[in-house]
């Protein structure tokens, strides 16, 4: 495995001298993508902020639900019936056709091994590290990265990161490329050529710079601009378009479109994040926006991939922990334990709710406040990788999620 992270750090430390814009940002950010043999695709979306799984997947068949959430459970018009027991938040209404078509599913009452402290930072790190406990920062690696050596024939772009935040889930020894939707490299043609000639013999900075230039242009934006009036106008128009897209929240669209574009080529694995799930107050309003973003992202992936590739695709949406079963005085919920995983894609055995429901009776709660987890979210991810890429269960339990007992197959995929 090549240690591409070293070359990126070396490049970043010298980029200011070269006169690039914060240009190396495409090397630091997160949709993460990967190429591998076969037709299956796996997309992992990290839902940052602790999504309230009991509001997204509403257990309206539980006798204690309405009493615990007198405000949040009151509006039945905001619930779409999935089963006799479960309803879905209306913020995901655009995904209802996927449910009916068997392309949307849920895992209830699931979580990482993280307990009690309920810190977003530690919870997200444990989710992305895929471990029971956190290693020292310098030693942390992500479970998607640890999976890559088990993909026979994986190429250089077996992993590719897209977004604005660093993602631990793809950190590690295996090569990962990165792309950002709203940061570009801007050089004159002469400057670009001079940079290429200067750095082509540098074994560390040269490859990193070449990668940065290639990644920055993947969304169709130019890298080199003429300094004439027309060239400057074109540069400013592209920069303005990127800034406006970010301000209007359409960078999520750009990430989804870029991910689909890469998955249509050699990429087989992708990971990025959607934020905004921390709903301490007025949850009946504040949850709608991230649910809309998630719905649009999934549907843009489906439309961008087309029917044939979508049938080979699995999307896993995972969050760091759930939220309290009782709503608080601000008509929101606080950090909890057991949560919900959302699955989508033509490859999943959908139209189903997986996992065991523990109940909301006070005696069934975790610490008298949270939904009791009945499964380890890592096991569901492991079975998705097993079914997608044929990775042996022993390798997943030993190398990818060290010490995990996956149990028997839940038959997640078709």
């Amino acid at each position: 495995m090549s240690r591409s992270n070293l070359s990126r750090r070396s490049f970043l430390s010298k980029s200011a001298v070269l006169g690039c814009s914060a240009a190396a940002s495409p090397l630091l950010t997160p949709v993460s993508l990967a190429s591998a043999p076969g037709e299956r695709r796996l997309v992992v979306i990290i839902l940052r902020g602790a999504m309230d799984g009991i509001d997204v997947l509403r257990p309206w068949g539980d006798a204690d639900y309405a009493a615990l959430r007198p405000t949040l459970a009151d509006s039945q018009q905001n619930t779409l019936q999935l089963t006799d027991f479960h309803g879905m938040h209306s913020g995901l209404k655009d995904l209802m056709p996927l449910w009916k078509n068997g392309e949307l599913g849920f895992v209830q009452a699931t979580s990482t091994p993280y307990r009690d402290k309920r810190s977003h930072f530690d919870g997200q790190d444990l989710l992305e590290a895929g471990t029971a406990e956190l290693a020292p920062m310098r030693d942390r690696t992500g479970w998607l990265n640890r999976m890559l050596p088990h993909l026979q024939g994986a190429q250089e772009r077996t992993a590719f990161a897209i977004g604005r935040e660093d993602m631990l889930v793809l950190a590690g020894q295996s090569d990962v490329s990165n792309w950002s939707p709203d940061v570009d490299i801007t050089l004159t043609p002469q400057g670009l050529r001079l940079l290429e000639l200067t750095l082509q013999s540098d074994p560390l900075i040269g490859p990193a710079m070449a990668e940065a230039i290639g990644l920055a242009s993947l969304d169709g934006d130019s890298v080199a601009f003429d300094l004439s009036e027309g060239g400057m106008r074109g540069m400013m128009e592209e920069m303005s378009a990127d800034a406006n897209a970010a301000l209007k929240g359409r960078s999520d669209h750009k990430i989804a479109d870029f991910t689909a574009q890469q998955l249509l080529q050699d990429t087989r694995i992708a990971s990025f994040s959607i934020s905004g799930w921390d709903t301490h107050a007025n949850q009946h309003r504040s949850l709608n926006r991230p649910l809309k973003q998630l719905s649009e992202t999934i549907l843009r992936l489906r439309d961008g991939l087309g029917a044939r590739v979508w049938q080979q695709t699995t999307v896993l949406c995972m969050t760091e922990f759930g939220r309290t079963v009782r709503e608080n005085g601000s008509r929101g919920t606080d950090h909890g334990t057991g949560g919900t995983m959302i699955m989508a894609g033509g490859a999943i055995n959908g139209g189903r709710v997986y996992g065991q429901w523990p109940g909301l009776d006070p005696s069934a709660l975790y610490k008298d406040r949270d939904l009791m987890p009945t499964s380890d979210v890592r096991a569901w991810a492991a079975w998705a990788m097993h079914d997608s890429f044929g990775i042996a269960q022993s390798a997943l339990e030993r190398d990818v999620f060290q010490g995990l007992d996956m149990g028997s197959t839940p038959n997640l995929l078709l």
Side-chain angles (χ1 to χ4, degrees), residues 129-346:
T131 55
E133 297 181 355
L134 282 175
M137 188 69 71
R138 66 181 181 277
D139 298 326
R140 293 179 192 175
T141 60
W143 51 270
L144 275 180
N145 195 285
R146 295 194 299 272
M147 178 192 69
L148 297 178
H150 295 281
L151 295 181
Q152 297 299 317
Q155 302 300 315
E156 180 180 353
R157 288 218 172 149
T158 293
F160 193 132
I162 303 170
R164 297 192 190 94
E165 308 159 290
D166 288 329
M167 293 187 72
L168 175 59
V169 71
L170 271 151
Q173 296 290 323
S174 297
D175 250 350
V176 177
S177 298
N178 302 263
W179 177 84
S180 170
D182 45 22
V183 180
D184 295 305
I185 295 175
T186 303
L187 297 169
T188 66
Q190 297 86 350
L192 177 60
R193 181 58 181 154
L194 177 61
L195 193 59
E196 291 172 340
L197 291 172
T198 303
L199 299 179
Q200 63 184 2
S201 61
D202 190 304
L204 267 164
I205 307 177
M209 187 65 216
E211 182 183 27
I213 292 170
L215 293 172
S217 62
L218 283 177
D219 60 350
D221 285 359
S222 298
V223 172
F225 289 89
D226 190 342
L227 289 181
S228 66
E229 182 178 349
M232 288 296 291
R233 187 182 305 115
M235 179 182 72
M236 295 305 295
E237 287 173 354
E238 287 189 4
M239 292 173 63
S240 178
D242 285 349
N244 287 335
L247 287 173
K248 293 177 180 178
R250 284 184 287 189
S251 59
D252 291 336
H253 292 185
K254 204 167 184 179
I255 285 174
D257 294 344
F258 179 83
T259 303
Q261 174 191 347
Q262 300 307 310
L263 289 169
L264 286 172
Q265 302 178 49
D266 292 336
T267 294
R268 292 296 179 268
I269 298 165
S271 181
F272 55 93
S273 63
I274 295 176
S275 300
W277 303 93
D278 199 16
T279 51
H280 288 284
N282 297 315
Q283 184 168 306
H284 61 291
R285 290 199 300 267
S286 59
L287 191 58
N288 287 316
R289 181 176 179 181
L291 286 174
K292 180 178 176 61
Q293 287 180 322
L294 179 60
S295 296
E296 291 178 348
T297 296
I298 290 172
L299 292 175
R300 289 183 81 93
L301 282 171
R302 181 201 61 180
D303 295 344
L305 292 173
R308 183 187 66 82
V309 176
W310 178 249
Q311 291 304 312
Q312 301 291 337
T313 299
T314 298
V315 181
L316 304 181
C317 306
M318 310 167 72
T319 195
E320 61 261 37
F321 43 73
R323 306 189 74 84
T324 50
V325 298
R326 298 179 181 88
E327 63 180 76
N328 60 31
S330 301
R331 294 191 295 178
T333 53
D334 300 317
H335 300 176
T337 307
T340 296
M341 184 173 80
I342 302 173
M343 303 179 295

